Amino acid sequence: MTDDSSPWLIVGLGNPGPEYAGNRHNVGFMVADLLAERMGAKFKAHKARAQVVEGRLGAPGLSSRRVVVAKPMSFMNLSGGPTAALRDFYKVPAERVIAVHDELDIDYGTLRLKLGGGDNGHNGLKSITKALGPDYCRVRFGIGRPPGRMQVADFVLKDFSSTERKELDYQVDRAADAVEALIVDGLERAQNTYNI
């Protein structure tokens, strides 16, 4: 039974530093930034090695939810430590943790929301699953597979292509909408809207 007083913890995955800001791997940070903007709040450093912003998402009134939006500052493959520390600090049950991340096995422009599952070779998820177990929510932002023989690591650490960038603001906006739908309407209704 989830305690309704506990907030949701939304963790945007990425790598800290300006050189990574536009990378495909940093789309979780982009969504986190937009959610903070929607709350009219600024990120602050937290002792859990993360930038956090606290506030409410959803329509004002009964349907708004308390949230903590976080960007781990530990680099992608060590995201689990800050996520677990924030979960403990804010007393968030695992099913109220949402990881927003890039996903190679989904075409660009496609979103998938799910609870639990494997990490699919994603180092950020691998680290979080090791720290929390697998039973947290994921908002998977499709980035597609690398072209030709390009290595996966090179692909995810490159900026979005100029064609992709034309749609990027829209796609990030849609992913932020999906996060809000998940916390306000529940996973199943959000899946029915966004997993199309």
Side-chain angles (χ1 to χ4, degrees), residues 7 9 42-54 68-74 81-92:
L9 174 59
K42 295 237 182 292
F43 281 96
K44 294 180 173 68
H46 190 279
K47 65 182 180 189
R49 290 196 337 258
Q51 295 279 329
V52 300
V53 62
E54 297 176 52
V68 177
V69 179
K71 298 189 295 186
M73 293 287 114
S74 57
T83 303
L86 290 167
R87 175 207 55 192
D88 295 346
F89 182 85
Y90 290 103
K91 299 177 177 49
V92 179

Side-chain angles (χ1 to χ4, degrees), residues 6-77:
S6 65
W8 286 79
L9 174 59
I10 301 158
V11 182
L13 296 186
N15 286 309
E19 67 273 32
Y20 299 106
N23 290 180
R24 291 182 177 93
H25 226 18
N26 269 42
V27 78
F29 275 17
M30 295 173 198
V31 174
D33 287 338
L34 181 57
L35 289 168
E37 199 178 297
R38 288 181 180 184
M39 291 190 289
K42 295 237 182 292
F43 281 96
K44 294 180 173 68
H46 190 279
K47 65 182 180 189
R49 290 196 337 258
Q51 295 279 329
V52 300
V53 62
E54 297 176 52
R56 298 188 85 81
L57 284 172
L62 292 176
S63 71
S64 84
R65 301 284 186 267
R66 234 179 99 219
V67 297
V68 177
V69 179
K71 298 189 295 186
M73 293 287 114
S74 57
F75 286 95
M76 180 69 84
N77 58 353

Side-chain angles (χ1 to χ4, degrees), residues 164-184:
E164 290 167 335
R165 276 199 301 273
K166 287 188 182 109
E167 273 187 39
L168 186 59
D169 286 349
Y170 168 76
Q171 300 300 350
V172 168
D173 197 58
R174 211 168 143 258
D177 289 348
V179 171
E180 288 203 44
L182 172 54
I183 64 173
V184 173

